[in-house]
Amino acid sequence: MKALENRIETDGTVLQEGVLKVDKFLTHQVDPVLMEQVGAEFAKLFEKEKITKVVTIEASGIAPAIFTGLHLNVPVIFARKSKSLTMNEELLTAEVYSFTKQITSTISISRKFLSEEDNVLVIDDFLANGQAALGLVDLCRQAGAKVEGIGIVIEKSFQTGRELLIEKGLRVESLARIGSLENQTVTFLEADA
Amino acid sequence: MKALENRIETDGTVLQEGVLKVDKFLTHQVDPVLMEQVGAEFAKLFEKEKITKVVTIEASGIAPAIFTGLHLNVPVIFARKSKSLTMNEELLTAEVYSFTKQITSTISISRKFLSEEDNVLVIDDFLANGQAALGLVDLCRQAGAKVEGIGIVIEKSFQTGRELLIEKGLRVESLARIGSLENQTVTFLEADA
């Protein structure tokens, strides 16, 4: 997606080998106009899949996911990274290991929001090692829901996430695919959209 | 806002004295169509204030805030409840006490995103004791930004938050004002919109 790649070039910062900071428009300050375009693009890519639910994870996944849900006219569920006070019923849970933070955390969704009737589109802001996306897929499959695909805003294609997801038979659509961050420079691969 | 009150009546659950669960459309599963209406309403209420930034807090504040930002055509900043790996620069921080969880947590925003030039609209999903909203106002004022008002999706008017904010000279606009949750029943006051 050209508008997204342009924005990464203008406002992204390569902090160190492998770390891209996009807090000016995605992960801390968010550009709602760009996110609306991102959501429209995901909706177009998956329009034939009869999606019934969009599933993402707090917090940076919410903005792209909510516009995807708006364009597909379906509810959006954001998985929690910690248990909420009012989450008193049965939960679907999965363990997610973070290579960057080197910790395992438990993510969860209330079981009542996913069923065998659901065709899910998983949305996330970043794809690197794929652990968060795999955790979300795991939650959906525990409920018997079908995962129609994964929509990623920014894919770090030099890490293993995409490969892992495709090995599991999942369709992956990334709006910006980064081939390299070497020499503090963002180099794109051809994106899915 | 009538559509919101209707939705609270249909899909909200009173768990116990003072606790309203709205995880079917706001705090866990999110209805993007309703959130779009909520954002449009906040934008209308504050259209004369020359808002330059919408500020909210992760995670449930993001959906209503992002649509408010879209309608006002301004960036949205979500304060973090924990420090992110790539937040390596100067931070504005505030302590927020949660009466329900009985813990104090530190919320933060990167200083570079707020300045004396900014007119901020603070958006949050719930107003109860007002501590989160006061924390967000504190962050904005530390940066010298002007807080034009607070937009709240659901106000628990039987708690002290609204009063505290008004005492600080802040304009509060709540789209649903709950006067009581006694006897497992939601009773509304007249809302601001």
Side-chain angles (χ1 to χ4, degrees), chain A:
Chain A
M1 190 178 146
K2 201 62 201 167
L4 176 63
E5 291 185 356
N6 291 345
R7 193 59 173 276
I8 293 167
E9 280 177 340
T10 314
D11 281 342
T13 314
V14 184
L15 284 191
Q16 64 205 55
E17 207 65 43
V19 181
L20 175 67
K21 183 169 180 162
V22 288
D23 67 344
K24 286 190 190 169
F25 61 93
L26 180 56
T27 60
H28 185 25
Q29 178 170 266
V30 187
D31 178 347
V33 176
L34 181 64
M35 289 304 115
E36 204 280 330
Q37 294 166 354
V38 160
E41 191 66 41
F42 284 134
K44 206 173 85 183
L45 286 165
F46 289 92
E47 67 186 345
K48 294 191 179 134
E49 311 308 330
K50 299 195 175 68
I51 302 299
T52 61
K53 295 273 165 80
V54 170
V55 167
T56 189
I57 185 161
E58 61 179 354
S60 308
I62 297 174
I66 202 85
F67 285 114
T68 308
L70 183 74
H71 281 277
L72 291 169
N73 197 24
V74 299
V76 175
I77 305 161
F78 61 90
R80 291 280 189 179
K81 287 177 182 166
S82 62
K83 214 182 152 191
S84 144
L85 190 73
T86 61
M87 279 168 91
N88 55 344
E89 62 260 287
E90 207 185 338
L91 298 178
L92 306 162
T93 63
E95 304 291 302
V96 173
Y97 179 71
S98 165
F99 285 92
T100 37
K101 294 180 193 163
Q102 300 195 322
I103 51 164
T104 298
S105 56
T106 304
I107 65 170
S108 61
I109 287 179
S110 289
R111 181 175 282 275
K112 67 179 176 195
F113 292 130
L114 287 171
S115 79
E116 292 166 16
E117 313 293 312
D118 282 314
N119 294 325
V120 175
L121 172 56
V122 170
I123 297 288
D124 207 3
D125 57 336
F126 267 98
L127 176 62
N129 294 297
Q131 301 304 299
L134 284 171
L136 292 172
V137 169
D138 185 4
L139 295 180
C140 296
R141 289 183 173 171
Q142 284 177 43
K146 187 175 175 207
V147 178
E148 295 287 353
I150 321 275
I152 297 293
V153 183
I154 303 176
E155 173 188 307
K156 297 203 263 186
S157 311
F158 54 89
Q159 290 179 262
T160 58
R162 184 190 185 92
E163 213 170 307
L164 276 173
L165 294 171
I166 286 172
E167 270 171 19
K168 300 233 171 210
L170 292 157
R171 175 180 165 198
V172 179
E173 300 282 355
S174 301
L175 303 190
R177 300 187 64 201
I178 295 175
S180 155
L181 291 172
E182 279 168 36
N183 306 317
Q184 315 278 348
T185 305
V186 180
T187 309
F188 293 104
L189 300 182
E190 198 167 326
D192 295 317

Side-chain angles (χ1 to χ4, degrees), chain B residues 15-54:
Chain B
L15 285 191
Q16 66 205 52
E17 208 65 43
V19 181
L20 174 68
K21 183 169 179 163
V22 288
D23 67 344
K24 286 190 190 170
F25 61 93
L26 180 56
T27 60
H28 184 25
Q29 179 169 266
V30 187
D31 178 348
V33 176
L34 181 65
M35 288 305 113
E36 204 280 331
Q37 294 166 355
V38 161
E41 191 66 42
F42 284 135
K44 208 174 84 185
L45 285 164
F46 289 93
E47 68 186 346
K48 293 190 181 136
E49 310 309 329
K50 299 196 174 71
I51 301 298
T52 61
K53 294 274 166 79
V54 170

Side-chain angles (χ1 to χ4, degrees), chain B residues 80-112:
Chain B
R80 291 282 189 177
K81 287 175 181 167
S82 62
K83 213 182 153 190
S84 145
L85 190 74
T86 60
M87 279 167 90
N88 56 342
E89 62 259 285
E90 206 185 340
L91 297 178
L92 305 163
T93 63
E95 305 292 303
V96 173
Y97 179 71
S98 165
F99 284 92
T100 38
K101 295 180 191 162
Q102 300 194 322
I103 52 164
T104 298
S105 56
T106 304
I107 65 171
S108 60
I109 287 178
S110 288
R111 181 175 283 275
K112 66 180 176 195

Side-chain angles (χ1 to χ4, degrees), chain B residues 50-62:
Chain B
K50 299 196 174 71
I51 301 298
T52 61
K53 294 274 166 79
V54 170
V55 167
T56 188
I57 184 161
E58 60 178 353
S60 309
I62 296 175

